[in-house]
Amino acid sequence: MARCYILHSKILNQFYIGATSDSLGARLAKHNSSYYGGCSFTARASDWKVYYKIECANITQALKIEKHMKRMKSVSYLMNLRKYPEIS
């Protein structure tokens, strides 16, 4: 099963939006350990926590949801997803 996810870092006070067909726990561990390289966005902090996740039927759907969330460019939109889950 695929999922779209939002991570939050208290240190950076920023969100990261991603999609995966892997285990979310394994993906989170990779983000927190700078597995994706020292130049990646998530390498700037090691305190990423799952803020919100959306279970998807397949990776194509997860990628479309990820793209939509990134296009919104709104922190309040991301916060409202958690506050009002029915909008997802």
Side-chain angles (χ1 to χ4, degrees):
M1 177 175 285
R3 61 206 45 84
C4 182
Y5 59 92
I6 302 170
L7 303 180
H8 182 260
S9 167
K10 283 188 180 183
I11 291 173
L12 299 176
N13 193 27
Q14 291 192 328
F15 290 96
Y16 173 82
I17 302 166
T20 185
S21 58
D22 297 336
S23 156
L24 190 53
R27 180 59 75 99
L28 179 62
K30 288 178 180 179
H31 284 300
N32 281 324
S33 68
S34 299
Y35 174 84
Y36 296 107
C39 297
S40 71
F41 178 81
T42 57
R44 295 190 278 164
S46 60
D47 71 328
W48 294 102
K49 302 271 188 239
V50 176
Y51 182 80
Y52 190 72
K53 65 180 176 181
I54 300 172
E55 299 294 330
C56 303
N58 53 50
I59 191 65
T60 304
Q61 181 185 30
L63 291 170
K64 286 180 181 179
I65 293 170
E66 175 191 13
K67 186 175 181 178
H68 169 75
M69 284 195 271
K70 287 181 176 181
R71 256 187 284 142
M72 294 303 288
K73 295 185 181 194
S74 170
V75 171
S76 61
Y77 176 77
L78 299 178
M79 293 175 138
N80 282 335
L81 282 173
R82 188 159 127 180
K83 190 173 180 181
Y84 307 106
E86 62 273 7
I87 66 173
S88 66

